[in-house]
Amino acid sequence: MDARNEMLRLIHARRDGFSLEQPFYVDPDFYRLDLELIWYRDWLFVGHDCEIARPGSYFTLQVGAYPVVVVRGRDGVIRALHNTCRHRGSRVCTAQRGMAAKLVCPYHQWTYDLDGSLVFARQMGDDFRKQDFGMKPVACESVAGYIFICLADEPADFAPFRALMEPYFAPHRLVEAKVAYESTIIEKGNWKLVWENNRECYHCAANHPELCKTYPEAPTVTGVSGAESDPDILAHWEHCEAAGLPSRFGIDKSGQYRATRAPLLRDAVSYTMTGRRAVRRNLSDSVSADRIGALLLYHYPTTWNHVLGDHAVTFRVLPLGPTETAVTTKWLVHKDAVEGVDYTLEELTHVWTMTNDEDRRIVEENAFGIGSPAYEPGPYSAEHEGGVMQFLEWYAASIGPRLAETGKPALRDVA
Ligand code: FES
Ligand code: FE
């Protein structure tokens, strides 16, 4: 049986409330199917508008086999382009980030405008049509300071996500913030293990001494149910909404994304060891940092986020291989906040630098154990791991029908 049929069989045989079978976490063919059917199909968070604030500024990234460049044009519009030259395919932009008046391929200097159109190709003959050889566009949207791309030929409608996410995020003005610090760590585990770990706080008390000073481990905060019946959360929503900040739990019907606001412990205002603010200046001029807790957003498969009154911490997940995942964390502050005056990097980044490393270790041990021939799917805690079950439901409901699409073997051929 080929990998596609085997994956489909295992998706249908999946036991609710249990972790996945081993191949989902280790098998190179299953990984390729994840790329093809999830990563090359869904909208992916790639970075922030404020990272490419000026025309000509760009950053690059790699999604599976696809090199992509995200660049701001002279018209101020952010676009994403396939970062592969239309001459013989060289990568055009090789730096992680940069600033350019034009995008010039390093191989034979074909030169593209910031919108991807080819403006110069040396000695290609009289009948060469430059207009036929522009860099190929990638679908790109930006909302409330977040840039998303989609590699699919026919991307899903972005509007519902924009409609849900924008009211929560717009007041925080991430569109004009600045990235004070960025880190990328490599976790030796499948991308789904990174997510499973993120979607529960069953592990927090024993593993995250720093984060647990301020972040509640209650499953009503991390998970996807019960928030409405948690009196602390209800009171928090009322407080924040009275201050004009949408806060109630909002989730997409497919479960792919959710936004909500959560209180921090003991009226902490920031993720610091004391709970006091890490940045003297508020993240947004129009939002007080007083008891607004954390605005939480996840969007599968690339991002989870915590927006506080004084700063925001955003995360981007990118798969590197069947058992390797890159997690990029960015700490955003008000654009005029000054390092050494309004904040120190040590205090700003300490809690999540430690937490990330703790999570890396957990994910790697999880991956290690799953590699054992003795591994078999185990049961999630209904009380604490509802968020993990919901992630896997989204995954199964997304990849199952895509595996079974027309032109591919139907389920009845597989049983
Ligand atoms: Fe880009 Fe030749 S491959 S100019
Ligand atoms: Fe954790």
Side-chain angles (χ1 to χ4, degrees):
M1 188 183 290
D2 71 10
R4 201 172 181 112
N5 285 333
E6 175 63 0
M7 188 188 239
L8 189 55
R9 186 184 71 76
L10 290 177
I11 286 283
H12 284 277
R14 190 176 73 90
R15 205 167 152 192
D16 267 350
F18 277 66
S19 58
L20 297 174
E21 295 281 351
Q22 187 188 56
F24 286 97
Y25 301 116
V26 303
D27 186 283
D29 291 329
F30 275 42
Y31 173 70
R32 276 191 281 278
L33 287 165
D34 275 358
L35 287 180
E36 179 190 331
L37 301 174
I38 300 283
W39 291 86
Y40 299 165
R41 297 267 191 111
D42 281 295
W43 284 98
L44 310 174
F45 165 63
V46 291
H48 295 287
D49 304 42
C50 66
E51 295 177 70
I52 46 173
R54 307 224 323 263
S57 50
Y58 68 86
F59 62 83
T60 59
L61 73 153
Q62 182 77 22
V63 183
Y66 288 92
V68 176
V69 55
V70 182
V71 56
R72 191 183 290 267
R74 265 187 301 281
D75 53 4
V77 174
I78 296 172
R79 296 181 180 82
L81 303 165
H82 285 286
N83 189 10
T84 172
C85 182
R86 294 297 307 283
H87 178 216
R88 282 167 51 199
S90 175
R91 246 183 347 161
V92 176
C93 299
T94 54
Q96 244 178 13
R97 58 184 66 248
M99 169 75 85
K102 300 258 190 297
L103 307 180
V104 182
C105 179
Y107 202 168
H108 314 92
Q109 290 73 51
W110 279 29
T111 300
Y112 300 90
D113 217 334
L114 299 174
D115 64 1
S117 52
L118 180 62
V119 290
F120 177 71
R122 192 161 39 94
Q123 295 165 351
M124 288 299 294
D126 293 342
D127 54 357
F128 178 70
R129 288 167 45 89
K130 287 199 295 259
Q131 60 270 38
D132 292 344
F133 296 97
M135 289 170 79
K136 293 183 182 172
V138 176
C140 183
E141 297 275 355
S142 98
V143 51
Y146 285 72
I147 305 168
F148 282 77
I149 65 164
C150 181
L151 292 162
D153 292 334
E154 290 175 26
D157 188 4
F158 191 77
F161 174 64
R162 179 186 297 284
L164 184 134
M165 187 262 200
E166 198 161 31
Y168 292 90
F169 278 74
H172 296 280
R173 305 302 299 156
L174 288 167
V175 72
E176 58 190 21
K178 75 170 176 188
V179 176
Y181 190 72
E182 158 175 358
S183 85
T184 295
I185 61 171
I186 309 298
E187 304 192 11
K188 291 192 172 57
N190 183 269
W191 67 274
K192 296 187 290 300
L193 290 181
V194 172
W195 268 109
E196 289 188 31
N197 177 57
N198 173 264
R199 299 304 306 121
E200 51 92 357
C201 222
Y202 193 29
H203 69 274
C204 290
N207 290 282
H208 295 318
E210 303 84 5
L211 186 63
C212 283
K213 289 192 184 301
T214 53
Y215 184 76
E217 62 170 334
T220 45
V221 171
T222 301
V224 287
S225 59
E228 293 85 351
S229 50
D230 182 326
D232 289 345
I233 294 179
L234 281 174
H236 185 67
W237 287 348
E238 275 165 27
H239 165 78
C240 293
E241 292 195 342
L245 300 173
S247 299
R248 262 154 234 282
F249 189 87
I251 189 164
D252 162 60
K253 60 182 183 310
S254 77
Q256 186 177 23
Y257 45 87
R258 175 222 57 184
T260 189
R261 224 173 272 275
L264 300 183
L265 296 175
R266 294 177 285 277
D267 287 339
V269 298
S270 195
Y271 295 140
T272 54
M273 297 301 279
T274 59
R276 291 196 288 272
R277 53 169 62 228
V279 187
R280 214 183 311 166
R281 182 151 194 168
N282 288 346
L283 175 61
S284 165
D285 289 335
S286 57
V287 177
S288 147
D290 181 32
R291 294 199 297 126
I292 62 165
L295 170 58
L296 306 176
L297 169 79
Y298 73 70
H299 186 294
Y300 301 144
T302 40
T303 186
W304 67 83
N305 299 268
H306 297 249
V307 180
L308 309 164
D310 67 336
H311 73 279
V313 200
T314 72
F315 299 82
R316 184 185 74 185
V317 175
L318 282 177
L320 300 179
T323 57
E324 206 167 77
T325 305
V327 177
T328 297
T329 308
K330 288 171 187 165
W331 286 262
L332 288 88
V333 300
H334 191 285
K335 69 175 183 338
D336 297 328
V338 178
E339 187 190 341
V341 177
D342 295 307
Y343 64 93
T344 66
L345 285 183
E346 163 57 24
E347 182 160 50
L348 178 68
T349 62
H350 178 74
V351 167
W352 271 104
T353 299
M354 299 300 285
T355 304
N356 278 343
D357 195 55
E358 291 149 7
D359 281 325
R360 178 192 58 72
R361 184 171 40 78
I362 292 166
V363 166
E364 292 184 351
E365 288 300 334
N366 194 178
F368 221 113
I370 285 175
S372 168
Y375 166 79
E376 60 179 293
Y380 295 117
S381 157
E383 184 176 341
H384 285 281
E385 294 172 295
V388 187
M389 292 192 258
Q390 187 269 348
F391 164 68
L392 290 183
E393 276 157 27
W394 166 80
Y395 172 74
S398 300
I399 206 164
R402 296 174 190 179
L403 283 162
E405 272 165 12
T406 333
K408 302 290 188 272
L411 182 57
R412 62 181 176 281
D413 302 322
V414 179

